[in-house]
Amino acid sequence: MADSFKAADLTVQLCSESLKTTSPESKAFGTVFTDHMLTIEWSEAEGWGAPRIRPFGNLSMHPACSSLHYGIQLFEGLKAYRGEDERLRLFRPMLNMKRMSKSARRVCLPAFDEVELLECIRRLVEIEQDWAFISGPSTHLYVRPTFISTEASLGVKRATRALLYVIICLAGSYFSGGSEGLSLWADPKYIRGAKGGTGDCKLGGNYGGCLAAQYEAKEFGCQQVLWLYGDDHQITEAGTMNIFLHWINEDGVEELATPPLDSLILPGVTRQSILEITRKWGEFAVSERYLTMDQLCSALEQQRVKEMFGSGTACMICHLSQIVYKGEKLRLPGVNENPQLSTRIIKELEDIQCGRTPSDWTLLV
């Protein structure tokens, strides 16, 4: 019985007709999919089957499939970036593989070899790379590995059958709207996660359970939710993003701060990259620390806030313009008011992702 699948056993079945569209820029994020997908089946009796790249198509599942009933499933998200040299690069993909393994352990899905999966994904992206060149120069590919239980039983138990699959879509703009920044709604009546929970795993239930708050935020004229936690209203995450605050802290020190990894929030790949880049600069304090709304409100009143922004694979880095909290609109420093740290970080990240700066953070496809 195979403990893990092997990329050397990968088989490829190419489609007879491409799904390519002539106007992908008119489509919303996550709606234009490429021609092929990767599928790998697992069973307790036989272990891992051989990985297979096949034409993109629907999946067939039993109505009692436990991923549908009990959320025994997880996913990842990474990008293949189109460089000026017309090559594609995956950005820090092993971090995604390791996070996927952690999520799988939490829902008792089987272990796999992270290196072997990454090679299968690299091969899939290689086959689909022409999709990155059918639109503008900033077109990238968004890669979505997914791992689900296919257990055909209504019992709440560890899966004896599972499916790991990977699909790819065009990665356009994640958020609609202008360049002034995102507005957030912060209300402590909702929480995204709790200590000891699954907030640090990329499970579908973490996102489906956020939809009611997301749509309530829109009723207040906001685009995303700023998730708070505890009686002191700790700042945790915003929508699908990690949060950063660039400010002069209570001790008069310039600091870039982000909430710590304490099982409440997702350990974002972009988050980790921002921390490593800015610590390497050595120009200001870089901290993983708890931040509360009272601290933020006080800093805004004293004009100590330089910038707030969110980070994530889908959105990259997004400037934040406003927070609605306790019925008050807290205006954050605008994009054009001060030299923005986020602009500098974006340039350094994009230079790496697109191959302008050589780095071992990228994997050439």
Side-chain angles (χ1 to χ4, degrees):
M1 185 171 67
D3 292 333
S4 183
F5 49 85
K6 301 294 183 182
D9 298 328
L10 177 69
T11 61
V12 178
Q13 176 191 355
L14 298 180
C15 64
S16 58
E17 185 176 352
S18 176
L19 300 170
K20 288 188 180 71
T21 174
T22 57
S23 57
E25 62 277 355
S26 64
K27 305 293 186 179
F29 177 91
T31 60
V32 179
F33 296 95
T34 64
D35 293 323
H36 300 90
M37 61 194 297
L38 169 71
T39 59
I40 317 170
E41 296 183 357
W42 173 88
S43 71
E44 188 175 66
E46 299 180 5
W48 284 102
R52 178 187 174 201
I53 291 175
R54 64 179 180 86
F56 184 91
N58 294 336
L59 300 175
S60 177
M61 289 186 288
H62 192 282
C65 180
S66 60
S67 61
L68 300 177
H69 292 266
Y70 308 121
I72 305 176
Q73 55 93 261
L74 58 100
F75 66 96
E76 267 300 328
L78 61 156
K79 282 183 181 176
Y81 292 88
R82 171 180 169 180
E84 294 179 355
D85 58 358
E86 304 300 295
R87 301 290 301 275
L88 295 185
R89 291 169 175 82
L90 293 166
F91 181 68
R92 309 195 78 176
M94 277 306 297
L95 294 181
N96 295 94
M97 299 299 98
K98 292 182 181 302
R99 190 171 65 183
M100 190 171 183
S101 287
K102 176 183 176 182
S103 298
R105 289 193 296 270
R106 187 59 197 262
V107 291
C108 296
L109 286 173
F112 56 88
D113 189 305
E114 299 155 4
V115 174
E116 298 292 338
L117 176 57
L118 179 54
E119 176 55 23
C120 291
I121 291 174
R122 190 203 64 78
R123 180 65 179 126
L124 176 64
V125 174
E126 183 179 44
I127 289 172
E128 303 291 65
Q129 61 184 315
D130 286 351
W131 281 81
F133 302 94
I134 65 174
S135 186
S138 61
T139 301
H140 309 301
L141 300 182
Y142 182 80
V143 183
R144 172 53 64 89
T146 308
F147 199 6
I148 64 173
S149 163
T150 53
E151 178 78 24
S153 169
L154 294 180
V156 182
K157 59 183 179 179
R158 185 195 305 263
T160 62
R161 302 189 69 87
L163 173 67
L164 196 164
Y165 67 93
V166 183
I167 55 178
I168 299 176
C169 70
L170 297 190
S173 176
Y174 190 75
F175 295 117
S176 60
S179 60
E180 65 277 3
L182 295 179
S183 58
L184 307 180
W185 178 65
D187 192 315
K189 71 178 180 180
Y190 294 115
I191 63 170
R192 179 189 174 274
K195 291 183 179 180
T198 59
D200 58 347
C201 297
K202 209 164 178 64
L203 310 180
N206 291 344
Y207 297 82
C210 295
L211 288 176
Q214 169 66 35
Y215 280 90
E216 190 166 342
K218 291 184 177 181
E219 294 175 4
F220 286 86
C222 298
Q223 295 157 289
Q224 291 288 317
V225 178
L226 178 61
W227 297 101
L228 307 179
Y229 180 77
D231 294 337
D232 56 351
H233 297 179
Q234 295 172 24
I235 295 168
T236 61
E237 290 186 321
T240 57
M241 303 180 293
N242 295 123
I243 284 290
F244 284 86
L245 172 62
H246 184 208
W247 67 336
I248 304 300
N249 67 20
E250 309 94 320
D251 300 321
V253 175
E254 182 180 357
E255 179 183 50
L256 179 65
T258 191
L261 301 178
D262 59 358
S263 78
L264 284 176
I265 67 173
L266 193 72
V269 174
T270 308
R271 174 190 182 275
Q272 180 173 333
S273 302
I274 292 170
L275 290 173
E276 292 178 16
I277 285 172
T278 52
R279 282 170 175 158
K280 184 178 179 181
W281 291 345
E283 299 174 9
F284 43 79
V286 179
S287 305
E288 296 173 79
R289 53 167 289 185
Y290 292 106
L291 299 165
T292 67
M293 285 303 299
D294 281 349
Q295 289 174 316
L296 176 60
C297 290
S298 176
L300 286 170
E301 290 175 3
Q302 298 169 19
Q303 298 184 334
R304 291 188 284 110
V305 175
K306 293 177 174 289
E307 182 185 17
M308 283 190 76
F309 58 89
S311 70
T313 296
C315 69
M316 178 66 141
I317 293 177
C318 287
H319 176 76
L320 306 178
S321 61
Q322 179 179 271
I323 299 173
V324 176
Y325 175 64
K326 292 184 176 179
E328 183 180 355
K329 294 182 178 179
L330 305 177
R331 183 181 174 278
L332 301 170
V335 175
N336 299 318
E337 293 179 27
N338 298 301
Q340 297 293 302
L341 176 64
S342 62
T343 302
R344 182 182 172 192
I345 295 172
I346 289 171
K347 183 182 185 307
E348 183 143 343
L349 281 173
E350 287 183 342
D351 284 347
I352 293 172
Q353 292 162 344
C354 297
R356 291 186 291 269
T357 300
S359 174
D360 59 5
W361 282 4
T362 59
L363 174 64
L364 197 62
V365 172

